[in-house]
Amino acid sequence: MSASGGWQGMCRRLVAPALAGLLLMEALAACTYLSSDGPARATVETGAVIKSERRAPVGFVQLDLSAAAVNAANAQTHALTPLMARVLSGSESRHGSIGVGDVVNITIFEASAGGLFIASEGGAPRGGNFVAIPPQQVEASGSITVPYAGQVAAAGRTPQQVARDITERLKQRAVEPQVVVSIGDRRSGSVSVLGDVNQPTRVEIDPGGLRLLEAITRGGGPRSAPYETIVTLKRGNRTTQTLLSSVVKIPDQNPYLSPGDIVFLTKEPRFYLTLGATPAPGSLGGLNNRRFTFENDTMSLAEAAAKSGGLDPNRADPGAVFLYRLESRRALEEMGVDLTGYAGNEIPTIYTCDFGRSDAFFVSSEFLMRSRDIIFVAEAPAVGLQRFTASLSGLTSNASAVAATRSY
């Protein structure tokens, strides 16, 4: 054996195993440093003093998004929309009734001078054949006081009724009396408009009545969009709610109000989440999140997917689009689902939509989203393998080096 051949053989025997070991270490390191969204489970649990008990997975129902499922689910979605109870509808008109606390103006006319209120000829000059009684507030007993007529019931009566009563009491003492009664300051028929309005205020109910939408308008209108504004109406010890958009569109959701009602507006944005193989956060016009809000009263699954950027063409499995929600027991029973093993009225449910089918876009366009729904798009099966092989691409040069060393 030549000297050169001996050295070459020795190099191959010494260097090749070392390079192979280095290659193996780098491969293991590549496996260790594969991309991840967070720490490994073992890392989190390391050094923990108390660990929570392992619980059984939550039982759920999985359904294909068929036409029957869409109809049953949408019916429940509509049923969940808050609507104001009809029992709370106020009277169509208060007919100008006087209430306790209202300030009343009274003017008494006489046909000629020399009567009870008008001075006789030759007396002090005056500008007309009438006298104005000082304004007075209706007492807690519901009455007012009129000179020479005494205590007159006012609460619950119209100004015209009170005027006729006073006229009858003064007929025997005044000269053909005529009485005019008006409400100077209405304080008993007010409605409070508060919350997410531009000008929180107290609104007086007109004689012809006051509807809910008009009261909100007098409060400066809502500060938020109607589809995300909840209107709460409190009357006595009863409370009911509705969407402001429903008040605008549905006649019986715009009732007449009653004295003492409280109208409170609250902004409650409705939103949904998108996870999985969808465009990366920040790629949609700078939106750096996966939480998207509704932009109307209703939103379909197709609209929601489009707003979040659709499916990632490089990673998504179009046949594995899932929608997570808590579905009502009644809706699932209408779909024919056996719920014997499930308790409660809300069942964890996953709807599956195959976007690889041509009819999926029609079905998803009819399926209505709900607030807090979660859309999850699974990755295509080949994506995981592609990610792993990409992490090993940097080792090919080392492998070539080892092969070259063996050729000595």
Side-chain angles (χ1 to χ4, degrees), residues 46-404:
T46 300
V49 178
I50 300 176
K51 296 184 179 181
S52 60
E53 297 181 358
R54 302 185 185 278
R55 297 179 296 176
V58 176
F60 61 90
V61 173
Q62 184 172 0
L63 295 170
D64 289 333
L65 202 57
S66 62
V70 169
N71 292 334
N74 286 352
Q76 179 63 22
T77 301
H78 289 302
L80 292 174
T81 302
L83 290 177
M84 194 167 297
R86 298 174 64 91
V87 70
L88 282 180
S89 181
S91 61
E92 293 185 1
S93 173
R94 297 190 65 241
H95 302 293
S97 299
I98 300 172
V100 175
D102 288 347
V103 177
V104 178
N105 298 324
I106 303 173
T107 304
I108 302 174
F109 294 79
E110 287 191 277
S112 62
L116 184 60
F117 298 97
I118 306 301
S120 60
E121 296 295 339
R126 51 178 295 110
N129 61 334
F130 64 89
V131 61
I133 305 299
Q136 58 182 301
Q137 191 173 28
V138 179
E139 301 174 358
S141 61
S143 62
I144 57 176
T145 302
V146 180
Y148 304 104
Q151 294 284 328
V152 179
R157 307 172 72 186
T158 65
Q160 293 77 14
Q161 291 172 332
V162 176
R164 286 194 295 268
D165 190 0
I166 297 174
T167 300
E168 288 295 326
R169 298 189 185 196
L170 296 177
K171 272 186 177 180
Q172 303 302 322
R173 309 187 66 174
V175 180
E176 298 181 22
Q178 297 291 324
V179 180
V180 176
V181 177
S182 63
I183 302 175
D185 184 8
R186 185 183 293 278
R187 300 179 182 179
S188 64
S190 63
V191 172
S192 298
V193 182
L194 308 169
D196 193 36
V197 293
N198 289 301
Q199 297 176 355
T201 185
R202 187 184 70 178
V203 181
E204 304 297 336
I205 298 180
D206 297 329
L210 179 70
R211 287 188 178 272
L212 175 61
L213 194 58
E214 183 181 359
I216 295 174
T217 302
R218 294 190 186 182
R223 290 188 290 185
S224 304
Y227 58 82
E228 60 181 9
T229 300
I230 298 294
V231 180
T232 302
L233 174 60
K234 185 178 186 301
R235 178 171 299 163
N237 58 357
R238 293 180 297 176
T239 301
T240 186
Q241 292 183 326
T242 187
L243 273 176
L244 181 56
S245 56
S246 298
V247 177
V248 176
K249 297 178 180 180
I250 305 176
D252 63 6
Q253 293 299 293
N254 186 28
Y256 283 96
L257 300 178
S258 295
D261 283 352
I262 297 176
V263 178
F264 195 90
L265 272 62
T266 308
K267 179 181 179 181
E268 293 187 9
R270 294 183 295 162
F271 63 90
Y272 65 94
L273 308 178
T274 59
L275 304 173
T278 58
S283 61
L284 300 176
L287 295 176
N288 193 24
N289 58 60
R290 294 184 180 272
R291 181 180 183 272
F292 299 89
T293 57
F294 284 49
E295 294 182 349
N296 209 331
D297 292 345
T298 60
M299 175 179 284
S300 67
L301 173 59
E303 291 174 320
K307 183 175 181 179
S308 59
L311 279 59
D312 189 334
N314 298 319
R315 299 189 299 130
D317 180 0
V321 178
F322 305 101
L323 185 136
Y324 288 70
R325 74 162 49 147
L326 292 177
E327 190 59 88
S328 72
R329 174 178 290 271
R330 179 178 178 180
L332 292 176
E333 289 175 346
E334 291 180 358
M335 300 177 201
V337 180
D338 183 9
L339 300 177
T340 305
Y342 299 91
N345 294 323
E346 292 186 333
I347 312 299
T349 304
I350 302 176
Y351 291 98
T352 304
C353 187
D354 184 356
F355 272 53
R357 292 170 52 107
S358 300
D359 61 349
F361 297 100
F362 296 105
V363 176
S364 61
S365 295
E366 296 295 327
F367 186 75
L368 297 180
M369 297 285 293
R370 297 180 196 166
S371 183
R372 293 175 173 78
D373 278 351
I374 300 175
I375 300 175
F376 178 78
V377 181
E379 289 185 338
V383 173
L385 178 61
Q386 293 174 357
R387 185 183 296 114
F388 178 76
T389 54
S391 67
L392 298 178
S393 61
L395 302 178
T396 55
S397 58
N398 292 334
S400 299
V402 172

